[in-house]
Amino acid sequence: MRRRIRHILTDLRHRRFIDLYATTAVAFVFAALLLVGADLPDSVRWSLLFAGLGFLLLRLAFANHREDRFLDRSDYDRNPVTEDLRTARDVWIFAPVGSNFLTEERCDVLRRGPLARPDGTVRVVVLREFDAGDPISEQLDALLDFPVQRAADSLRETRARLASMRQWTVQGTFAWGEIGFNPGFSLVAVNPHAAGGYANVEFHGFRNDAIRSRMHIHLTRDDGQWYTYWLDQFEEIWRSTLDAGRS
């Protein structure tokens, strides 16, 4: 029972399943009133019953819509992440090389979006710089069958872009760091702790024919522990960044 209570408190703290818990609370209140003999009109009783049933059916319908969780990069054509960045307050990015996500256009969107807000934050983590002959470079270059640029060169360009962004005069907070190893995934979280926030986790795989063929999962707070798990993964990465890369 204590475990269940802790689970509920965690959901409420992260604003998950608020509609379900609110409906349950209202149902318990009315059930208690009926138990002590409160004289409630039949219309109120039936309204409560059907409202609760409707919420539960709607929740069940949303829970069964899993096909939009497992995606490839063609999803970004249908649902451009750039549009979400324009109105975001907090953005977390972990990208080992970062050249595909941190384009010049998206960096400018971050400047006009979260970094234009006094309470906006952008945190970015990339790999520590390495040479083309480094084993980590060979690993990253092996991810694609037809690379157009070596990973070491792409990372060098990304780091130069991040260094320039650190010099911007903006209202929000921008910071970036680096780690010395590649965990095999990328992560982008938009408004991670706010209503409507989400995290996209992309798995690099091996010998993809192109970047677009990589799989990613789209997670929201409705995904419960796995959403929290991946946000915690970013926080762990952030805590592991080297001081030399931080702003």
Side-chain angles (χ1 to χ4, degrees):
M1 185 63 181
R2 291 180 180 177
R3 181 180 179 183
R4 292 292 184 184
I5 293 175
R6 287 198 300 269
H7 187 87
I8 292 173
L9 292 176
T10 299
D11 284 342
L12 293 176
R13 187 167 59 252
H14 292 285
R15 300 178 183 178
R16 294 193 298 258
F17 312 126
I18 298 298
D19 54 349
L20 184 59
Y21 288 125
T23 303
T24 303
V26 171
F28 281 148
V29 168
F30 276 90
L33 290 174
L34 291 172
L35 187 63
V36 298
D39 186 16
L40 299 176
D42 287 342
S43 59
V44 173
R45 301 184 187 190
W46 284 108
S47 296
L48 174 64
L49 175 63
F50 283 113
L53 180 61
F55 271 118
L56 293 176
L57 290 175
L58 186 61
R59 169 61 61 184
L60 181 62
F62 286 155
N64 287 333
H65 285 175
R66 305 302 298 173
E67 70 277 1
D68 59 351
R69 292 291 190 265
F70 307 101
L71 308 158
D72 61 25
R73 288 205 173 190
S74 64
D75 178 66
Y76 293 138
D77 297 332
R78 300 185 297 271
N79 303 291
V81 67
T82 301
E83 297 303 315
D84 296 330
L85 298 180
R86 296 183 195 279
T87 56
R89 186 183 68 184
D90 301 303
V91 177
W92 302 351
I93 301 168
F94 168 62
V97 174
S99 57
N100 294 301
F101 190 86
L102 291 168
T103 62
E104 183 176 345
E105 176 194 7
R106 287 208 180 105
C107 290
D108 189 60
V109 169
L110 292 172
R111 179 181 67 84
R112 297 173 181 270
L115 293 179
R117 304 172 49 143
D119 60 345
T121 63
V122 174
R123 293 193 288 174
V124 180
V125 181
V126 295
L127 290 179
R128 183 179 59 202
E129 191 168 2
F130 50 79
D131 295 325
D134 191 287
I136 196 170
S137 179
E138 296 178 4
Q139 175 209 10
L140 289 168
D141 287 335
L143 297 179
L144 297 175
D145 283 333
F146 305 102
V148 296
Q149 188 177 39
R150 292 185 303 181
D153 297 331
S154 297
L155 179 60
R156 194 172 298 112
E157 293 178 3
T158 298
R159 292 171 59 87
R161 188 164 291 158
L162 292 172
S164 297
M165 294 173 67
R166 190 168 56 188
Q167 303 303 316
W168 288 350
T169 300
V170 293
Q171 296 187 62
T173 301
F174 174 75
W176 71 281
E178 57 183 11
I179 60 174
F181 64 96
N182 177 27
F185 65 87
S186 304
L187 187 151
V188 176
V190 179
N191 295 330
H193 292 306
Y198 65 85
N200 286 342
V201 183
E202 182 175 275
F203 304 99
H204 295 167
F206 182 73
R207 291 298 184 190
N208 295 286
D209 60 348
I211 290 289
R212 290 177 64 88
S213 63
R214 287 180 179 171
M215 172 197 172
H216 72 267
I217 54 175
H218 178 79
L219 299 169
T220 68
R221 62 178 60 208
D222 286 346
D223 292 295
Q225 64 172 344
W226 291 119
Y227 183 64
T228 304
Y229 171 84
W230 284 107
L231 296 187
D232 289 344
Q233 284 287 286
F234 180 87
E235 294 286 16
E236 288 294 334
I237 289 172
W238 183 252
R239 283 190 284 269
S240 300
T241 57
L242 305 178
D243 291 340
R246 288 257 187 112
S247 64

